[in-house]
Amino acid sequence: MAKMTPRTLSGFMELLPQPQQQMERMMQILRETYALYGFTPLDTPIIEASEVLLAKGGGETEKQIYRFQKGDADLALRFDLTVPLAKYVALHGGELSFPFRRYQIGKVYRGERAQRGRFREFYQADIDVIGDGKLDITNEAEIPSIIYQTFTRLGLKRFQIRVNNRKILNGFYAMLGLTEQSGAIMRTVDKLDKIGPDKVQDLLLSDCGLREDQAAEILKFIAITGSNAEVLAALEGYMGRHELFDTGLSELKTVVKYLADFGVPEENFAVDLTIARGLDYYTGTVYETTLLDHPEIGSVCSGGRYDNLAEYYTDRQLPGVGISIGLTRLFYVLGEQGMLNPDLPTAPADVLVLPMTEDLAPAISLSTRLRGAGVRTQLYTEQKKFKAKMNYADKIGVPYVIFLGDDEIAAGVVACKDMKTGEQTKLPFAETLDLIRSGLAEKNKGAVILE
């Protein structure tokens, strides 16, 4: 039979064991942080009916989704986690308690052109808070604290959560008589970081059909900068000219007001009037998070408030606020930048037990005791030379190797080698266990990401 050449499809990530452990550690930190804020884990099917996924997006989404027929069923792979959440909440609304707070870390699929740092299959890590009829603005103020805790726990320090409110933008455009063009204007303004103000102005004139004075007013407005207090003070000058603007400014003030109480330092948070988010379903607060030393990466966490989450499935008003981290892309970029901590343990086990006797019973018993004490333990029973066994221990990066021979069994001790320092001890089981535990605690102290 002819052999096939194994390959990984373009746009799909396949990791070796050590980086996979780094990715798993990042996911674990996300799960632990989200759980601290009372979010419940959720998993939804990767495959949905095509009509479910295309209800909101259509157009561009239809070009990107992986769609296929199975019998009479028209099916597709999910392209994000938000649309399946909408279906889930509409379907199970009678059984859920509101506000419903969920997190989900799962793979999504987009059939777009694969390129450096852009994948066709990738993990997203989402949190959302869904209300029944209403959702208090305090939830929108809490979101930045979750972003802050998440990135701080991962090891990042120099990042900024940029926040705006779509009601401010829509109200401002209404003042200029541009309500009908507001969606197109926001999508254009959202490109400011990538193309600069001159090209944004050109697009406002050519694609959005604005007059020069209108484009100039918009550029002047989004150029308002300074501290959060200074930006809010400048926005006060527009008060009283449109009700929607005033509502948006009031909401933004509330978000800023509670920042310190939620534990977010001001240096990690900025009111930024250029943040619009291109998606039409955002209706209030919007967020984008960037790494200050790596602006080329773009937003690493974004999202916002929406008021019609499940409008295609139910008349029930289910407003929500949520954020999403493109985890696969973030992991890839951090690896490229050399920002993933190489010193954190990535081995599948904490201890490798090497039996040095023909009778394996003592080694099996010791392995069982270690696992019972919560130490991840692998028992190596392959009939190979000692050097090959140690090479294996080196290759998988196990922190400790235990040798158990006749001498150790007779003396009631365990021979344990620290693979990083080379130090070897012969101590009773309890003392060896304490040594391993304290050593592992020290080895695991570092952050996943280095700045």
Side-chain angles (χ1 to χ4, degrees):
M1 186 177 75
K3 302 292 185 187
M4 290 186 292
T5 302
R7 64 190 178 95
T8 303
L9 291 173
S10 174
F12 292 74
M13 179 182 277
E14 202 168 51
L15 298 171
L16 289 170
Q18 290 190 342
Q20 184 66 51
Q21 289 278 10
Q22 291 176 314
M23 172 71 99
E24 294 295 330
R25 191 181 284 257
M26 286 182 68
M27 289 185 186
Q28 185 59 31
I29 290 171
L30 295 182
R31 292 187 184 101
E32 289 172 359
T33 309
Y34 297 159
L36 275 178
Y37 286 82
F39 287 84
T40 188
L42 178 65
D43 192 22
T44 55
I46 287 175
I47 299 174
E48 295 275 7
S50 295
E51 62 180 13
V52 169
L53 298 181
L54 293 173
K56 192 84 180 175
E60 199 61 35
T61 303
E62 191 165 5
K63 295 177 187 175
Q64 292 186 359
I65 66 169
Y66 285 97
R67 189 174 184 179
F68 56 96
Q69 294 285 136
K70 185 67 175 176
D72 295 332
D74 182 6
L75 306 170
L77 301 180
R78 66 187 181 201
F79 62 87
D80 73 1
L81 300 176
T82 305
V83 174
L85 173 65
K87 181 216 71 176
Y88 179 91
V89 174
L91 181 63
H92 299 287
E95 305 157 81
L96 298 175
S97 298
F98 291 92
F100 176 58
R101 298 163 71 91
R102 84 85 172 88
Y103 75 83
Q104 183 170 359
I105 301 174
K107 285 184 174 181
V108 299
Y109 299 83
R110 294 182 188 174
E112 53 192 358
R113 186 170 68 88
Q115 50 187 307
R116 190 177 178 189
R118 294 280 181 184
F119 296 88
R120 291 170 173 166
E121 176 191 67
F122 56 96
Y123 277 102
Q124 279 190 335
D126 287 18
I127 59 170
D128 286 87
V129 184
I130 311 299
D132 185 9
K134 292 182 179 179
L135 186 66
D136 191 80
I137 183 66
T138 312
N139 291 285
E140 294 167 53
E142 186 182 39
I143 292 290
S145 73
I146 303 171
I147 300 173
Y148 174 76
Q149 283 291 337
T150 299
F151 284 107
T152 301
R153 282 171 166 243
L154 285 170
L156 291 167
K157 298 179 184 68
R158 288 188 43 75
F159 62 90
Q160 189 174 66
I161 306 159
R162 299 189 292 167
V163 180
N164 195 8
N165 193 297
R166 289 280 286 252
K167 291 173 185 171
I168 289 176
L169 298 177
N170 281 321
F172 175 70
Y173 300 143
M175 293 177 201
L176 300 178
L178 298 171
T179 297
E180 289 186 9
Q181 297 100 311
S182 62
I185 295 170
M186 276 190 259
R187 285 189 290 274
T188 302
V189 169
D190 209 35
K191 300 173 184 175
L192 185 70
D193 282 348
K194 295 178 182 175
I195 64 176
D198 291 340
K199 288 188 178 178
V200 166
Q201 183 173 23
D202 291 342
L203 290 175
L204 288 174
L205 296 173
S206 60
D207 292 6
C208 301
L210 271 59
R211 301 191 309 266
E212 287 194 8
D213 62 311
Q214 292 171 324
E217 276 291 325
I218 290 171
L219 288 169
K220 176 186 171 186
F221 180 79
I222 62 176
I224 296 173
T225 56
S227 68
N228 293 332
E230 288 169 343
V231 174
L232 293 175
L235 291 175
E236 292 275 2
Y238 293 89
M239 287 280 287
R241 293 168 57 185
H242 197 278
E243 184 180 356
L244 188 60
F245 180 95
D246 294 353
T247 301
L249 182 53
S250 173
E251 291 178 356
L252 187 57
K253 284 179 176 178
T254 301
V255 170
V256 174
K257 174 187 173 185
Y258 287 128
L259 279 178
D261 296 318
F262 274 122
V264 183
E266 185 156 348
E267 60 264 28
N268 292 105
F269 181 92
V271 175
D272 188 335
L273 300 177
T274 68
I275 303 301
R277 304 297 303 143
L279 296 171
D280 289 337
Y281 60 71
Y282 290 121
T283 56
T285 307
V286 284
Y287 317 92
E288 284 195 357
T289 306
T290 54
L291 306 183
L292 293 174
D293 297 326
H294 298 279
E296 72 281 359
I297 294 175
S299 175
V300 293
C301 175
S302 57
R305 165 75 183 238
Y306 42 84
D307 285 323
N308 295 303
L309 175 72
E311 63 182 330
Y312 289 96
Y313 314 110
T314 177
D315 291 332
R316 188 176 181 178
Q317 193 76 3
L318 296 167
V321 60
I323 53 168
S324 179
I325 298 173
L327 193 55
T328 300
R329 179 169 180 266
L330 177 60
F331 182 82
Y332 173 86
V333 171
L334 291 172
E336 246 198 358
Q337 299 286 345
M339 294 173 66
L340 293 174
N341 188 348
D343 295 326
L344 285 179
T346 56
D350 303 317
V351 172
L352 182 69
V353 175
L354 298 183
M356 310 299 284
T357 57
E358 192 173 330
D359 182 7
L360 298 181
I364 293 171
S365 177
L366 176 64
S367 301
T368 302
R369 288 181 73 189
L370 285 166
R371 292 178 187 129
V375 177
R376 300 179 306 150
T377 304
Q378 181 180 344
L379 176 63
Y380 190 96
T381 59
E382 305 308 307
Q383 300 302 309
K384 294 190 177 182
K385 292 183 179 179
F386 182 75
K387 185 178 179 181
K389 294 177 180 180
M390 294 306 292
N391 284 341
Y392 176 79
D394 271 330
K395 196 163 185 179
I396 67 170
V398 68
Y400 296 96
V401 173
I402 284 178
F403 313 103
L404 197 61
D406 288 327
D407 291 346
E408 287 80 19
I409 294 168
V413 295
V414 175
C416 180
K417 181 176 181 178
D418 185 321
M419 293 296 287
K420 186 170 184 179
T421 65
E423 183 182 354
Q424 191 164 322
T425 57
K426 283 191 176 185
L427 298 168
F429 174 81
E431 292 180 43
T432 300
L433 181 60
D434 288 342
L435 185 77
I436 290 170
R437 281 175 169 167
S438 62
L440 289 173
E442 189 64 32
K443 293 175 195 297
N444 281 290
K445 267 186 179 177
V448 179
I449 301 170
L450 299 173
E451 279 198 316

